[in-house]
Amino acid sequence: MKKILSIFFLIMLSISVAQAATNETDTDDGKGASGLPVPRFASLRSNEVNMRTGPGTRYPIEWVLTRQGLPVEIIAEFEVWRRVREPDGAEGWIHKSALSGKRMAIVMGTPRDLHGGVDPQSPVVAHLEVGALGQVLSCAKDWCRLKFEGVKGWLPKTAFWGAEAEEIFD
């Protein structure tokens, strides 16, 4: 009987720890433990960032992300840990010190043209390869203004990963 109770206790403890990690991010105002909105985008601060299976160094490293500036979507928070989704869809936990608030974008799908305005007929200011990283400067309804290697222009939100479809900001 004691073994059954011990096993039951361990299962309940595991469930409560998992719920605590989830509850830390569930606020009525859509903000995480940091007070910032969740979900939101950030980027990798360095060329080597460990993504773990759980929020702490005791959890195994599942991925090592190796591209500084890669945009990631923060989807949950627990203390100093952020659960993120990377462009390929993989999810894991990263320490907040490995993240930057700098908004970045990565070109997805096929090569794209960076336009001078928010119209596909506007002049092309640069041709972008799949995987090109750029900084997100602002977003309107369907287009965002970005900077790739010093060249500024506009891309439709569907051409890159790094902004929510409904997101509008200056």
Side-chain angles (χ1 to χ4, degrees):
M1 184 67 168
K2 284 185 179 181
K3 272 189 172 181
I4 292 172
L5 286 175
S6 295
I7 292 170
F8 178 75
F9 177 74
L10 286 174
I11 291 170
M12 294 308 291
L13 181 62
S14 296
I15 290 170
S16 65
V17 168
Q19 286 176 336
T22 301
N23 291 342
E24 183 110 5
T25 64
D26 293 341
T27 59
D28 292 336
D29 59 3
K31 294 184 178 179
S34 65
L36 297 172
V38 174
R40 70 180 181 278
F41 280 92
S43 58
L44 300 183
R45 189 177 295 277
S46 69
N47 278 321
E48 189 173 310
V49 174
N50 294 332
M51 190 161 70
R52 297 179 177 275
T53 60
T57 55
R58 69 183 184 277
Y59 291 94
I61 296 169
E62 190 167 33
W63 298 96
V64 177
L65 304 176
T66 59
R67 191 162 184 203
Q68 184 177 2
L70 183 75
V72 293
E73 184 179 22
I74 297 172
I75 56 175
E77 296 182 344
F78 180 71
E79 298 177 355
V80 296
W81 293 89
R82 306 296 178 254
R83 182 166 177 83
V84 302
R85 179 180 302 120
E86 55 97 33
D88 291 332
E91 294 181 9
W93 291 88
I94 294 177
H95 193 277
K96 73 176 189 174
S97 67
L99 298 172
S100 167
K102 187 174 185 179
R103 291 292 299 269
M104 299 295 287
I106 186 167
V107 175
M108 302 292 282
T110 61
R112 307 292 181 152
D113 290 331
L114 187 65
H115 292 272
V118 292
D119 180 346
Q121 302 307 315
S122 65
V124 173
V125 296
H127 299 289
L128 305 171
E129 294 297 321
V130 173
L133 286 179
Q135 183 179 359
V136 181
L137 303 173
S138 64
C139 286
K141 183 176 185 261
D142 297 319
W143 291 68
C144 290
R145 187 162 190 255
L146 298 108
K147 181 170 71 170
F148 290 85
E149 296 183 14
V151 179
K152 295 178 183 177
W154 293 86
L155 270 181
K157 288 181 180 176
T158 56
F160 69 93
W161 196 79
E164 298 288 342
E166 324 73 47
E167 196 173 18
I168 297 173
F169 64 92
D170 286 323

